[in-house]
Amino acid sequence: MIKTLWMAMRPQSFLLSAVSVSVGTSLAALRGAVDWPGFLLSLIGVILLHGGANVVNDYFDYRYAVDTVRVSGSFGQESRVLIRGLLTPRQVLAIGLGLYASAMPIGLYLMAMHGWTILWLGVSGLVTGICYTARPVALKYKALGEIAVFVMFGPLMVSGAYFVQTGAFSVAALWISVPLGIFVAMVLLANNIRDIPFDGEAGVQTVATVLGGRWAVRAYRLFVFAAYGLACALVASGMLGWFALLTLLSLPLALRLIRMFDAAIPADADAQTAELDALFGALLIVGLQLQRFFQ
């Protein structure tokens, strides 16, 4: 049962949250010592919210017949507990709400330590996670999913982690969050490009169904290159140190994915794009730590 609960949360995707929180914390570390309890609580709270969103969104995708046995599914088949009949819809919804509830004590503690801003950050993440697929909002079904994911995993998580460490926001942190947000949004775009036929049948609008396969792949290519271009621009502007150019070491993986997508969209298109985000983020974190050591 525990294994089934774990699979329902889609833990493979948690690395996306970990990268964003770690980048925000690493940026804050350039200004002073790291509050490690604050970092760990932020990470656990974000992962609980992320897991809750994954589970609740699976529930609504299944309920609205957007996710069926014919669809490959995000990060493979092993986490698709509803499609495989391992859990009932009611059980899945209860798990999702339970994960959200588990994040609340962490949020209240951080709010007590750092003020009401933490409450608004947490509520924003929770509401966006639910409204991602829950109707009548259903951002994912109205070609707004990529924007929602960009905001949550870019500005919201990076700036939120930075705020927990410093008690303030930073324009630099906001700009630096943009490439990360783009890469996570491209995880969703890759997923939606693969699912164009199925989403069309379900009457769901995504960026991929609106643009069509060819133009959606071009958009994927454009935004991936834009993320690297922005990272280089941030180095040139002084917002990031030269060590941040280590992120360019992930460029060969990006080029390989783009060539692959030009030929055919693989079943694990989303998972492979998530690996790109993780590699880019890990290299950025290393660059920030080196900047901290040598500054």
Side-chain angles (χ1 to χ4, degrees), residues 1 19 34 77 92 135 146 192 195 227 278-279:
M1 184 63 177
V19 165
V34 175
Q77 299 285 343
V92 167
R135 289 173 173 160
E146 282 83 356
N192 290 341
D195 291 347
L279 180 57

Side-chain angles (χ1 to χ4, degrees), residues 34 104 225:
V34 175
M104 288 182 181
F225 286 142

Side-chain angles (χ1 to χ4, degrees), residues 100-279:
Y100 280 140
S102 298
M104 288 182 181
I106 294 176
L108 292 173
Y109 174 80
L110 291 175
M111 185 184 73
M113 298 298 295
H114 302 287
W116 286 91
T117 301
I118 298 297
L119 175 64
W120 305 127
L121 290 170
V123 169
S124 297
L126 187 150
V127 171
T128 304
I130 293 175
C131 292
Y132 186 69
T133 49
R135 289 173 173 160
V137 181
L139 298 168
K140 176 184 173 182
Y141 306 154
K142 297 177 181 177
L144 295 172
E146 282 83 356
I147 294 175
V149 167
F150 165 81
V151 172
M152 283 195 296
F153 288 86
L156 189 67
M157 285 191 190
V158 175
S159 295
Y162 185 92
F163 184 89
V164 167
Q165 294 294 318
T166 65
F169 290 110
S170 162
V171 173
L174 183 64
W175 275 108
I176 293 164
S177 74
V178 172
L180 290 174
I182 288 174
F183 280 121
V184 180
M186 292 306 98
V187 173
L188 178 60
L189 181 59
N191 177 85
N192 290 341
I193 294 171
R194 182 199 62 209
D195 291 347
I196 285 175
F198 311 109
D199 288 338
E201 291 176 5
V204 171
Q205 273 197 329
T206 66
V207 170
T209 61
V210 171
L211 294 178
R214 180 180 300 179
W215 282 101
V217 170
R218 290 175 179 173
Y220 179 96
R221 183 191 309 125
L222 173 65
F223 279 104
V224 166
F225 286 142
Y228 284 103
L230 180 56
C232 292
L234 291 171
V235 171
S237 71
M239 285 190 183
L240 281 173
W242 289 101
F243 288 114
L245 292 178
L246 286 171
T247 55
L248 295 178
L249 293 176
S250 64
L251 189 55
L253 175 57
L255 294 174
R256 182 176 68 81
L257 286 176
I258 288 170
R259 287 194 296 268
M260 183 188 304
F261 285 19
D262 283 337
I265 306 299
D268 62 344
D270 49 359
Q272 292 198 50
T273 306
E275 290 175 5
L276 175 60
D277 172 77
L279 180 57

